[in-house]
Amino acid sequence: MAKVLEVNHLSKSFGGVQAVNDVSFHLEKGQLLAMIGPNGAGKSTCFNLINGQLRPDSGTIRILGKDTRGMKPRHVWALGVGRTFQITATFTSMTVLENVQMVFLSTHRRIRNVWHKTADLYRDEAMELLRLVGVESQWNRPCGILAYGDLKRVELAIALANRPKLLLMDEPTAGMGTKERLKLMELTSRIVRDQSIGVLFTEHDMDVVFGHADRIIVLSYGRLIAEGTPEEVRGNKKVKEIYFGTYAVPPCATSGV
Ligand code: ADP
Ligand code: MG
């Protein structure tokens, strides 16, 4: 069976900077893969290569077995790739429900029943997603007035509305408090396992990474320097060197906190 994501010998440079240097990794269905590394390690560049915003200099990217070289972001999205953004990307004047309905509308494009009011289109599907991420009580509020944590949940619902097989999450819990952060990651883990979605995420919070990732890849200066389970990566000498004085690697996983 095709893997959700296969990256082989991927490279990208900007002028003299080798932002991503011969990176290879893969991601299975239902798996959470964390990509970590200090600032400037090449994480965002990797994400942007995968989502089609950047073109690789060399190497291949396969999403569900399909080579995405040369594809535009919207075509990559149409393959079943969802993404959440580091900076919240909802339309602030629209309601929570409308934001999610919009995605269904653009996914299906055709409006089958011209007598249907737009406001009712995909309403049930959108409400179901809001229930899943725990913001159904906020359905009628404009996104602009939501608490930050709720907004992040709406973002997750928006990403899920595309029925993704691959979900790209760039610092999904940035700006959240510790408790909320772990709660959101728990919710995400549950949903992606239930729906067999593969998730690639970057995250600065090492509690989130070591508590929720099935596997971790570590980048430094564009190179993949370590890969493995949280236990394997925690014990890796190179990783300890890189993170020494930058992050404290937690002594044990904190899943379920
Ligand atoms: P990370 O997300 O891990 O912090 P980035 O992928 O943003 O790392 O950056 C990797 C390297 O590539 C850095 O040295 C950064 O300055 C450089 N870089 C990233 N994007 C660009 C760009 N558009 N133009 C020039 N240099 C870039
Ligand atoms: Mg970045």
Side-chain angles (χ1 to χ4, degrees), residues 93-104:
S93 61
M94 283 162 56
T95 67
V96 168
L97 182 68
E98 285 163 351
N99 263 283
V100 180
Q101 278 177 296
M102 278 272 289
V103 186
F104 280 110

Side-chain angles (χ1 to χ4, degrees), residues 21-32:
N21 193 349
D22 198 24
V23 166
S24 302
F25 64 89
H26 64 262
L27 171 60
E28 314 265 352
K29 273 183 174 179
Q31 202 176 59
L32 277 103

Side-chain angles (χ1 to χ4, degrees), residues 14 17 19 38-45:
F14 299 105
V17 179
N39 275 337
K43 305 182 294 294
S44 293
T45 305

